[in-house]
Amino acid sequence: MHGVIDPATAGTLAPSEEPRGPLLQVRDLTVEFATRNGLVKAVKNVNLTVAKGETLGIVGESGSGKSVTSYTVMRILDRAGRIAEGSIAFSGIDIAHAGEKQMRDLRGREMSMIFQNPRAALNPIRKVGHQIGDVLLHHLQADPRNVKEKVIEILNQVRIARPEERYHAYPFELSGGMCQRIVIALALACRPQLMIADEPTTGLDVTTQKAVMDLVTELTRARGMSTLLITHDLGLAAAYCDTVMVMEKGEVVETAPAEQIFRNPQHPYTRKLMRATPRPGISLRDLLPEEAQTRGRVQASPRPNPPPQAGEGGPVAPVEAVATPDADVAASNPLPLAGEGREGAAAPAAGLSSVAKGSPAPAAEKTLQPLLKVENLVKEYPRQGAPIAFLAGLFGKKPAKEDGIFRAVDGISFEVGKGESVGLVGESGCGKSTTSTIVMRLIDATSGRITFDGEDLSAIPAKSFAHHPMRKRIQMVFQDPTESLNPRYTAARAIADPLLRMGGMSEGPALRAKVEDLAGMVGLPVDLLDRFPHQLSGGQKARVGIARAIALNPDLVILDEPTAALDVSVQAVVLNLLEDLKHKIGMSYLFVSHDLHVVQLLCDRVIVMRQGRVVEEGTAEQVLAAPKDAYTRELIAAIPHPPV
Amino acid sequence: MTIASPSAARPSPLLATLKHARYVISDNPVTGLAFGMALVLVVCALLGPYIVPHDPYASNTAMALKPPSATYWFGTDQLGRDIFSRVIVATRLDLGIAVCSVALVFAAGGIAGIASGFFGGWTDRIIGRISDTIMAFPLFVLAMGIVAALGNTVTNIVIATAIINFPLYVRVARSEAQVRRQAGFVQAARLTGNSEWRILLTQILPNIMPIMMVQMSLTMGYAILNAAGLSFIGLGVRPPTAEWGIMVAEGATYIISGEWWIALFPGLSLMFAVFCFNLLGDGLRDIVDPQRRT
């Protein structure tokens, strides 16, 4: 097996080969962690078998125990964790009772691991060539005289261009994808029999993800290695694994060949996961679990009745669902609804329905009044490169150093209509976040105009915008719900912040009532309001962030990958919540994301960006079904799909 | 899914803090020990003059230079004063100097450091150069110079101690603030209409309190040593005031002739106090940090 393997066929090829003996066999594994509240079982009675040359995918959401299982196999658990029961056999060695010395010998030589964050997995102050050399020397695969040669050979294998040069590079000089290749090179250096890949591509762009995964598949198959792929992405597991094991709360709920599990999932949890995974040709409501739809009530959504038949019969437009409950809610809704907002709410609903039916209605967005108009926006930074440079440039006025000017945003123009959702899509470094930050008025543009509701925003410097009356009309939901909440503020305090600063409210029962109201709107239980962020789950923190953003009835909300840090099932609920709120309050969304499928679900229009420029713009339907630009096609092709 | 947890009645914040403090103390015996030692120091400082067996200032030449005994636990000095009573009474002065100077330097250095890290630019340059200038001097010599120049009073010891610790606070606060100035929650606070100074005080400052607590506890030890050191060389507090540094200085001349107790016991109490505050830091951090409260 040489050359590039098509991921779609890779899975089907494997089972037809010779029967293989198990390389790794885990029996009844239970792992316990000692915590402040007593023993917690992170993994319960897990059985798994990995044959020689097989790729097993472990799929589950956060807290499912998938990482703990793999760490246990490598015996790199925290000190608090221990194997309570069960056995692990790795090519005849009893891992559960092996000595530390024996394990050290195995790790790296017989089994190795690829970590989630390649940058964190590499020593930042050591040349990558030396880091790979260390592994080779440690396991006596090379001696000091020929180590450089061997390292360059390995770098060549992981397709790093100009390996002689890159041998001397430090991790920070390489891109994320490049770093992950180095980590793969480290993992494969000693030709181990088993490779554990723990979310190897989570932090990477889709096109990089495809390149990295193709590389891993090719290399491991060429060497007859077994792989344990740990991921939360069903599509990825489907595309690259022979067998898929689904875990929930420390237990295995289903194990089956990849194709079978997607064609015919047995366990309700597997079905729920599959439903929640965004894919082409579905509507937002399809993401929610079946029960929630048939029961007519979504636990998290304040909307009383989602479309009744949207469950199985394909996407039925949620027009009625939008129109009717909205009217009910408006009566009881304490938020003053602006007339224009109500108008706006109807328009995208029409757009949504047309998208769902498969007939694009380009006329829909033309009738919208523009709310935000961006013209020829340019943002230049004095130094080349890394996103850190953006941040550093924010406050310190650093003098232009060497290589001149870097244009993060290169003359882009677009409009967002009232009540419209526009997606801004592109890979990391394409300038989408810079654009949204400028629109947000947190940084100043180098040139260009931003008109918001007829007023020229670019004339107001970012520094004094905090006190500008426009401030409360543009709000934002941040990418990382954990990082965007002050760890020392309770949820209630975080939601109250905009009300105190700009809503003219002061501490007291009225404020509390308003906060509880907002919590109700975003489906956050009131008794959680007094908790600190670290006591809330990811989805709950996302709700706090959303409640804070909508507290002042903004006209435009910028969603900066609001679900990127969330599990798929939570993502499904949060996306639906955002859609509901949009109609309820009559907001416009500017949705910044790298995931076209997610964007398509929530947005009427999509703008694809690359290297600071707009490469394609159109309705979500058009862009996904018939991309005009080669780059857009590449993006779409790189998204792994379950074989449905 | 995301929504769980039955609605449990939340305890009041004060009660929660106390419960958490109890947990932290009982969780780590070293922290418990440090808190016990700190309690002893605080009791001595508050009640010292009322609980001592003898008048710390009454000289009794008949009883001069007596070794430790049942009546005089730590012995007596060259004027026949009870060393035990003097050591206890001195706690208030030494601790007072340390607490005041740490409070002063935390307010000045902490805020300057946060502003320096948060605003950057000229603010950072000016504050950075000021602290560099202070660090360019041998710190104890600088403190000597300040007290000598300003005058030999307790207030000036406090000021001198605060000044020499200023760069430490600036450095720590600056690096912590720099990490957080682009954090999501700071951006979010900007969006909700907070001014930069308000963000500095309500968002950044509370978040660097845990590390500042450790810093304060450590410098508390230094401050005690510094104050005692100044008195030892004759600056600052003057005899006959009971102060650990002076007492060690007075006792030092008698060590050669065999009266070891005069210098030993004040020295030991100095050690006790410094040791206590060095241990206390980690425990304090855990109490102030809400993330530990799960």
Side-chain angles (χ1 to χ4, degrees), chain A residues 364-537:
Chain A
E365 83 260 22
K366 289 280 174 261
T367 57
L368 292 173
Q369 272 178 279
L371 177 71
L372 175 78
K373 204 168 165 189
V374 174
E375 293 161 281
N376 279 322
L377 194 70
V378 173
K379 179 71 188 174
E380 290 175 344
Y381 286 105
R383 276 205 298 155
Q384 198 78 33
I388 295 108
F390 303 166
L391 304 179
L394 270 183
F395 281 85
K397 292 191 196 91
K398 293 210 169 114
K401 278 190 189 146
E402 61 287 5
D403 17 343
I405 281 161
F406 167 66
R407 281 200 165 190
V409 179
D410 195 0
I412 72 161
S413 308
F414 63 90
E415 277 182 24
V416 179
K418 278 186 179 150
E420 193 188 19
S421 298
V422 175
L424 205 54
V425 187
E427 306 203 313
S428 53
C430 75
K432 59 187 195 300
S433 294
T434 313
T435 308
S436 70
T437 319
I438 296 171
V439 172
M440 207 56 245
R441 304 303 301 129
L442 284 174
I443 52 176
D444 288 316
T446 309
S447 67
R449 257 172 84 88
I450 303 165
T451 323
F452 182 79
D453 208 11
E455 204 171 319
D456 185 8
L457 285 192
S458 37
I460 310 160
K463 269 190 177 165
S464 55
F465 199 71
H467 297 300
H468 197 270
M470 283 295 213
R471 171 77 290 163
K472 60 177 168 185
R473 299 182 58 191
I474 311 177
Q475 288 292 313
M476 183 162 183
V477 177
F478 289 84
Q479 176 169 8
D480 184 344
T482 310
E483 205 228 13
S484 68
L485 294 176
N486 186 337
R488 305 189 67 95
Y489 277 9
T490 60
R493 181 66 185 78
I495 299 174
D497 205 41
L499 297 167
L500 286 168
R501 299 276 81 77
M502 293 188 297
M505 295 182 85
S506 50
E507 296 282 356
L511 179 73
R512 179 76 192 184
K514 173 77 185 170
V515 168
E516 287 184 3
D517 213 58
L518 284 164
M521 282 176 73
V522 298
L524 183 73
V526 171
D527 56 291
L528 297 183
L529 279 175
D530 292 312
R531 293 204 183 176
F532 287 99
H534 70 274
Q535 296 164 319
L536 300 171
S537 70

Side-chain angles (χ1 to χ4, degrees), chain A residues 36-37 272 289 299-300 391-392 394-397 437 440 442 466-467 471-472 474-476 478 483-489 497-498 501-502 523-525 527-528 530-532 534-535 537 539-540 543 548 569-570 573, chain B residues 1-8 10 19-20 23-24 118-121 125 180-196 198 202-210 288-294:
Chain A
R36 190 162 159 177
N37 303 317
K272 189 182 126 192
Q299 180 189 18
L391 304 179
L394 270 183
F395 281 85
K397 292 191 196 91
T437 319
M440 207 56 245
L442 284 174
H467 297 300
R471 171 77 290 163
K472 60 177 168 185
I474 311 177
Q475 288 292 313
M476 183 162 183
F478 289 84
E483 205 228 13
S484 68
L485 294 176
N486 186 337
R488 305 189 67 95
Y489 277 9
D497 205 41
R501 299 276 81 77
M502 293 188 297
L524 183 73
D527 56 291
L528 297 183
D530 292 312
R531 293 204 183 176
F532 287 99
H534 70 274
Q535 296 164 319
S537 70
Q540 289 161 351
R543 284 167 206 272
R548 177 173 63 185
S569 62
V570 181
V573 176
Chain B
M1 290 281 284
T2 51
I3 299 173
S5 99
S7 53
R10 309 277 311 158
K19 265 180 82 176
H20 178 67
Y23 169 77
V24 168
F118 186 65
F119 295 123
R125 274 172 228 172
R180 290 178 174 84
R181 77 174 184 195
Q182 288 306 325
F185 66 86
V186 172
Q187 295 283 28
R190 287 202 179 100
L191 297 191
T192 53
N194 289 280
S195 65
E196 298 292 298
R198 181 179 279 280
T202 63
Q203 308 282 334
I204 307 267
L205 179 65
N207 276 294
I208 66 172
M209 273 313 275
V288 181
D289 192 351
Q291 311 242 1
R292 300 264 316 197
R293 206 176 297 179
T294 24

